[in-house]
Amino acid sequence: GAAPRAAGERIKEMLDSITDGVAVLDRDWRIVHLNARAADMLGPARAGSAAPRGANLWREFPGLRGGAL
């Protein structure tokens, strides 16, 4: 319905207003949302791109394995 959709939009707006990079993942480690700062952190090849949405975090960024998140 309209209420859950509106709540989802408010959450997205809140995440997008955060100045730190924020990635939202689902339970299977798939990328659900990247805010603008997170997209910028990925570099110019991905900045502003929705390409990572739906991608598995560990397959998309194998260098993160074993690192601090």
Side-chain angles (χ1 to χ4, degrees), residues 46 56-67 69:
R46 293 181 189 260
N56 178 278
L57 178 72
W58 305 118
R59 282 194 283 275
E60 191 73 18
F61 305 101
L64 292 177
R65 284 196 182 273
L69 293 177

Side-chain angles (χ1 to χ4, degrees), residues 5-63:
R5 193 175 3 256
E9 285 301 313
R10 284 193 305 272
I11 291 169
K12 183 181 178 297
E13 289 172 8
M14 180 188 67
L15 294 172
D16 288 341
S17 72
I18 297 171
T19 57
D20 292 326
V22 176
V24 179
L25 308 172
D26 68 10
R27 66 181 344 162
D28 294 318
W29 296 94
R30 288 185 303 251
I31 300 167
V32 175
H33 179 75
L34 296 173
N35 71 354
R37 179 63 181 130
D40 289 345
M41 291 169 68
L42 294 177
R46 293 181 189 260
S49 169
R53 180 173 284 147
N56 178 278
L57 178 72
W58 305 118
R59 282 194 283 275
E60 191 73 18
F61 305 101

